[in-house]
Amino acid sequence: MESIPKTKQWWKEAVVYQIYPRSFKDSNGDGIGDLRGIIEKLDYLQELGVDVVWLSPVYKSPNDDNGYDISDYQDIMDEFGTLADWDELLHQMHARGMKLVMDLVVNHTSDEHHWFIESRKSKDNPYRDYYIWRPGKDGKEPNNWQSFFSGSAWQYDEATGEYYLHLFSKKQPDLNWENEKVREEIFNMMTWWLDRGIDGFRMDVINLLSKVEGLPDAPVTNLDDRYQWGGQYFVNGPKLMDYLREMKEKVLSKYDIMTVGETPMVTTDDAIRFTNEQDGVMNMLFQFEHMDVDTKPGSSLGKWDIQPWKLTDLKKIMSKWQVELHGKGWNSLYLENHDQPRSVSRFGDDKMYRVESAKMLATWLHMMQGTPYIYQGQEIGMTNVAFPSIEYYRDVETINLWNDVVVNKGYDPDKILKAIHYRGRDNARTPMQWDATKHAGFTTGTPWIDVNPNYCDINVEQAMKDENSVFHYYKKLIRLRKEHPIIVYGSYELLLEDDEQIYAYVRKFNDEQLLVITNFSSEQPTFILPAHITFTEKQLLISNYAVDENESIDTIVLKPYEARVYKLK
């Protein structure tokens, strides 16, 4: 018999909406989304029913990596507005009962941050050790690490004749977390934002802070490249838990907030260590295993080498995270964010069954245990975009890939463009589609990146008018989570584990069961209820097709991308 757990928490019961400000809503016609644009749309978010907004970075930035390269942590990017606009945004959100989570980007700064400007001046500058500087080795970089964004993770700097480490772009030098002064500066900055009234942090690549002493060369696994993947020397590094415990003790533990870590390459054991409620260091984390289900393992092209994914692989990954974290840690549930392509294009069918498959994916995700995240536009079923050439793209990762593999290494441009269409980050960054007017109502000017041409059919205005839209379905899913504790707290059991079309599972809580049936195909497979699932009464909570409430659920011929959720007693 399970009752509401002792560890009932508001952040477990919340639904989070992620805003990528540059692409959300432009209020002044300069083609770039801004804080006033977000304020204009808060009533829309309230109508959807979300509890928390996670705001991608809005700090001062030269925008090499769209705000993830910060030049001043305590001011707002000119294009987005002012600190006064930000204060009003927070006030307006709190007035509507919504919380605000800010993006914390502290693995690196911009090379235009005043710490780095000082650091690069001389070897004895007081800011020198805020960053990771090393002399070259044999006339080359200090080691052979590859950047996440292609090429070397080191940049030579003329002024002092040394190299600095940048795991991301060369305009994103890594901070030296070994330096106590750096940690103190970061903790003071976090406290400053929390005292302004924010409700938590999403922590960018937070498990990369600690690097192995000596920064050794990575083993050669890719013979095509001078630079090699060195993750074993900086993912979950030796002092990571010390740094995060210190952050918790000096800052996080003093506030009632929500924290979510972006933690590439973590296992479920890591996740329990990070998120358990006894001595964990964050409330929940983003894992990436399900985001790699369509990536060819061990390929020199990394995430750009795409393979067909199998539902049974997705089941193994999701079930492992559901079962192993139950009662020991907490999951974040997501299919989209600013770094991932659109889920309906990737896991559903964005042509013939766009609405059905978007609803199916939402049902499948939101009925699991964890805190669900909705990325802007996901709630109306926005799709990937296929721009005709590289000139249309703005993302630094995409452009660096093109220069590295097409321009320098001579890969087939059509093949790489196809991979960008499928996997590129700009799929998530085309402007939010508000209505069918020019530029989808995002701006009265010229948008910083082109709008997806399908905005006339797929937009918020149309979705709000149509009661069978993806938007209204999300609204209902969010409401169900508020009404049924089983959705938040119930245990998880996978059914039909070898089926390549149907993903079904059961949640259990007290004397209730929740049966979730989803068809991940455009065919009509038959669902047969496993014999061990017994009940005396059933209630259909939600479905994406019309269903006769009294129909038996022992055998169901599912329609393409059908989803149903039953409450059983």
Side-chain angles (χ1 to χ4, degrees):
M1 194 64 144
E2 292 190 66
S3 56
I4 290 269
K6 289 190 185 72
T7 55
K8 188 171 155 49
Q9 304 279 6
W10 65 263
W11 42 263
K12 291 181 179 176
E13 298 174 7
V15 175
V16 185
Y17 187 93
Q18 182 192 353
I19 289 181
Y20 192 71
R22 176 166 282 272
S23 302
F24 192 63
K25 180 69 175 82
D26 172 21
S27 69
N28 63 357
D30 67 355
I32 293 167
D34 47 44
L35 297 179
R36 294 231 149 260
I38 299 171
I39 294 169
E40 280 174 29
K41 296 297 182 183
L42 290 178
D43 288 346
Y44 165 73
L45 297 180
Q46 192 172 20
E47 169 77 9
L48 180 58
V50 294
D51 309 282
V52 177
V53 170
W54 150 30
L55 202 53
S56 279
V58 291
Y59 316 99
K60 273 261 189 292
S61 167
N63 270 314
D64 181 56
D65 185 23
N66 283 352
Y68 283 90
D69 49 318
I70 295 168
S71 53
D72 185 347
Y73 286 107
Q74 284 164 265
D75 202 358
I76 299 297
M77 197 187 298
D78 295 340
E79 296 162 323
F80 288 168
T82 63
L83 211 42
D85 294 332
W86 183 89
D87 284 330
E88 180 171 344
L89 173 65
L90 183 72
H91 172 73
Q92 294 281 0
M93 284 180 62
H94 284 171
R96 289 170 177 78
M98 286 188 264
K99 294 180 187 287
L100 177 62
V101 164
M102 292 283 275
D103 219 312
L104 181 77
V105 188
V106 292
N107 176 69
H108 43 263
T109 69
S110 164
D111 65 343
E112 298 182 36
H113 194 292
H114 86 90
W115 299 342
F116 191 76
I117 292 170
E118 288 298 317
S119 183
R120 74 194 318 175
K121 281 181 180 169
S122 69
K123 290 181 187 175
D124 55 6
N125 189 285
Y127 287 95
R128 183 67 168 184
D129 288 337
Y130 274 46
Y131 297 88
I132 299 171
W133 290 94
R134 293 290 184 275
K137 194 169 75 182
D138 311 325
K140 289 195 300 228
E141 297 89 355
N143 70 28
N144 66 351
W145 294 359
Q146 183 179 41
S147 149
F148 278 93
F149 292 165
S150 314
S152 173
W154 293 94
Q155 179 68 22
Y156 183 70
D157 201 49
E158 292 280 337
T160 58
E162 288 194 341
Y163 292 81
Y164 63 85
L165 180 70
H166 61 90
L167 291 180
F168 293 88
S169 107
K170 64 176 190 237
K171 287 183 66 64
Q172 292 170 297
D174 280 51
L175 283 164
N176 176 18
W177 273 74
E178 304 257 334
N179 184 340
E180 199 179 328
K181 284 202 188 100
V182 167
R183 301 199 301 274
E184 195 180 316
E185 297 255 26
I186 297 294
F187 299 156
N188 289 343
M189 173 270 290
M190 292 170 71
T191 302
W192 185 83
W193 280 107
L194 287 162
D195 289 345
R196 281 189 99 86
I198 70 167
D199 304 291
F201 291 109
R202 174 265 184 187
M203 302 166 158
D204 189 62
V205 296
I206 198 70
N207 62 328
L208 308 186
L209 303 182
S210 170
K211 281 75 174 175
V212 166
E213 208 172 317
L215 310 178
D217 273 329
V220 176
T221 51
N222 175 10
L223 298 171
D224 294 344
D225 210 313
R226 263 179 70 182
Y227 306 111
Q228 303 296 318
W229 171 244
Q232 67 205 74
Y233 303 117
F234 53 75
V235 176
N236 303 335
K239 295 183 181 165
L240 178 67
M241 286 306 278
D242 299 342
Y243 300 154
L244 295 179
R245 281 192 197 105
E246 187 184 358
M247 180 188 283
K248 179 181 169 182
E249 180 200 334
K250 292 186 173 166
V251 186
L252 304 175
S253 59
K254 299 178 176 167
Y255 301 87
D256 176 25
I257 52 172
M258 169 185 143
T259 52
V260 53
E262 183 198 25
T263 51
M265 291 151 288
V266 287
T267 63
T268 48
D269 286 342
D270 296 326
I272 292 165
R273 196 163 44 116
F274 291 158
T275 68
N276 77 80
E277 287 176 63
Q278 288 69 52
D279 59 1
V281 287
M282 58 188 74
N283 299 145
M284 63 189 95
L285 53 71
F286 294 123
Q287 57 87 11
F288 290 85
E289 276 190 71
H290 63 312
M291 291 288 107
D292 292 329
V293 73
D294 49 7
T295 303
K296 208 170 278 180
S299 164
S300 59
L301 273 176
K303 76 178 213 180
W304 304 101
D305 203 343
I306 290 134
Q307 65 176 10
W309 60 279
K310 285 168 65 183
L311 189 60
T312 45
D313 291 341
L314 190 64
K315 287 180 188 182
K316 280 191 195 91
I317 293 165
M318 297 304 282
S319 300
K320 174 178 70 176
W321 282 88
Q322 285 289 298
V323 170
E324 293 183 14
L325 263 61
H326 182 63
K328 295 180 181 174
W330 196 251
N331 278 292
S332 302
L333 304 172
Y334 76 97
L335 279 177
E336 289 185 26
N337 60 36
H338 61 292
D339 288 333
Q340 298 294 340
R342 293 291 182 178
S343 56
V344 71
S345 301
R346 187 177 186 183
F347 298 110
D349 176 343
D350 64 7
K351 304 282 186 295
M352 202 160 149
Y353 296 108
R354 182 186 68 85
V355 170
E356 293 83 354
S357 64
K359 291 177 182 177
M360 181 279 290
L361 291 167
T363 313
W364 168 80
L365 192 71
H366 281 241
M367 289 297 135
M368 290 194 186
Q369 186 182 73
T371 299
Y373 288 70
I374 299 167
Y375 178 71
Q376 63 186 45
Q378 186 176 3
E379 78 281 10
I380 58 167
M382 277 177 63
T383 69
N384 278 357
V385 69
F387 289 134
S389 71
I390 192 67
E391 288 68 39
Y392 287 79
Y393 287 90
R394 299 289 174 264
D395 171 33
V396 60
E397 181 187 49
T398 302
I399 294 162
N400 284 4
L401 167 85
W402 187 268
N403 292 335
D404 182 38
V405 302
V406 177
V407 179
N408 298 334
K409 293 180 184 159
Y411 279 63
D412 175 359
D414 291 341
K415 187 180 169 213
I416 297 300
L417 193 62
K418 270 203 180 73
I420 291 167
H421 289 164
Y422 180 87
R423 198 72 196 261
R425 303 196 299 181
D426 281 337
N427 283 309
R429 301 175 181 190
T430 59
M432 181 72 177
Q433 293 162 210
W434 293 105
D435 57 40
T437 63
K438 197 176 177 188
H439 304 313
F442 163 70
T443 181
T444 54
T446 304
W448 71 277
I449 187 171
D450 281 12
V451 176
N452 190 320
N454 64 18
Y455 71 88
C456 291
D457 303 316
I458 304 171
N459 62 67
V460 168
E461 188 177 43
Q462 178 274 331
M464 288 181 83
K465 277 189 210 144
D466 171 9
E467 59 190 47
N468 291 314
S469 68
V470 179
F471 173 86
H472 284 289
Y473 195 89
Y474 265 95
K475 212 174 138 173
K476 188 170 181 184
L477 282 172
I478 293 167
R479 198 175 68 239
L480 287 172
R481 183 166 272 266
K482 304 269 179 286
E483 292 167 359
H484 301 276
I486 186 172
I487 299 175
V488 180
Y489 295 110
S491 62
Y492 166 102
E493 180 201 337
L494 178 67
L495 306 176
L496 317 178
E497 80 180 285
D498 299 322
D499 198 301
E500 289 292 0
Q501 294 172 301
I502 299 170
Y503 194 132
Y505 58 92
V506 174
R507 306 284 308 279
K508 289 181 184 160
F509 188 63
N510 297 339
D511 58 347
E512 291 179 338
Q513 300 181 83
L514 203 64
L515 172 64
V516 181
I517 308 164
T518 56
N519 176 12
F520 269 75
S521 78
S522 57
E523 289 162 28
Q524 300 193 9
T526 300
F527 169 81
I528 296 169
L529 186 70
H532 73 279
I533 305 228
T534 56
F535 58 95
T536 49
E537 47 185 284
K538 71 175 197 313
Q539 177 197 356
L540 180 71
L541 290 190
I542 193 166
S543 61
N544 63 348
Y545 284 90
V547 170
D548 174 1
E549 290 263 1
N550 301 315
E551 180 190 335
S552 160
I553 59 172
D554 293 339
T555 308
I556 305 170
V557 178
L558 294 169
K559 296 184 178 71
Y561 295 101
E562 184 166 7
R564 300 186 190 187
V565 181
Y566 288 96
K567 197 171 195 182
L568 308 176
K569 277 188 175 173

